[in-house]
Amino acid sequence: MTIKITEKTYKAIRILIESKTPYKEIADYMNVSVASVQRVATSETYEEYKAQLGGYYYKKKAEAAKAEAMKKAEKKEYPKDEPPVQVVEHRQNVTIQATHYMMTEMQKTNELLTLISNKLAFIIDELTGPVKKEA
């Protein structure tokens, strides 16, 4: 079991590192992991070590969560006491009632569209001219 590195243990590890003691021996003597000794060796101050440690644990936690999500996605297992979730589709009919004003406006729009269509047909007839039949 490893211990939590306090500022005192950090200073002790730094002294052992400066005396060229192998990391494995430091880890065994101080009852910490070799990775912790390496982090102490790469940091200049205790605060920097704590910052490294925080970043390390956030990174490991994110990797573990991602691995867990991938594992669940691959297995797609449901807990034994809970049945799989079923999607229920709801269909609704909506009836829209148009007012008299809307109906008269729609009739005006239809009449306008008919007039435009007739004018376009007339313009096309004038441009193409009468069709001559050859005998």
Side-chain angles (χ1 to χ4, degrees), residues 1-2 4 16 27-28 30-31 44 47 55 60 65 76 78 90 92 104 114 116-117 128-130 132:
M1 182 174 147
T2 59
K4 183 177 179 182
L16 290 170
D28 290 341
M30 297 300 291
N31 200 19
E44 295 293 323
E47 288 75 24
K60 284 294 186 186
K76 290 187 180 179
Y78 297 102
H90 297 282
Q92 296 178 357
T104 56
T114 303
I116 292 171
S117 177
T128 56
K132 296 182 181 178

Side-chain angles (χ1 to χ4, degrees), residues 4-15 30 46:
K4 183 177 179 182
I5 296 180
T6 62
E7 195 163 1
K8 288 181 181 181
T9 54
Y10 174 84
K11 287 179 182 178
I13 292 171
R14 289 293 300 175
I15 292 169
M30 297 300 291
Y46 179 69

Side-chain angles (χ1 to χ4, degrees), residues 2 11 24 60 65 68 70 94 104-105 108 113 116 129:
T2 59
K11 287 179 182 178
K24 177 73 173 134
K60 284 294 186 186
E68 183 70 25
M70 294 290 287
V94 178
T104 56
E105 289 298 313
K108 288 179 185 176
L113 287 172
I116 292 171

Side-chain angles (χ1 to χ4, degrees), residues 88-127:
V88 179
E89 186 176 332
H90 297 282
R91 294 184 181 249
Q92 296 178 357
N93 291 330
V94 178
T95 304
I96 299 174
Q97 295 181 349
T99 62
H100 179 67
Y101 173 76
M102 286 176 58
M103 292 299 294
T104 56
E105 289 298 313
M106 287 175 61
Q107 286 173 349
K108 288 179 185 176
T109 305
N110 286 342
E111 290 172 6
L112 184 62
L113 287 172
T114 303
L115 289 173
I116 292 171
S117 177
N118 291 340
K119 287 182 181 180
L120 284 173
F122 175 76
I123 292 171
I124 291 173
D125 284 342
E126 290 294 317
L127 289 175

Side-chain angles (χ1 to χ4, degrees), residues 21 25 32 49 57 61 63 92 98 102-103 111 120 131 135:
T21 307
E25 286 183 29
V32 295
Y49 165 77
Y57 280 116
K61 192 179 243 186
E63 287 175 0
Q92 296 178 357
M102 286 176 58
M103 292 299 294
E111 290 172 6
L120 284 173
V131 179

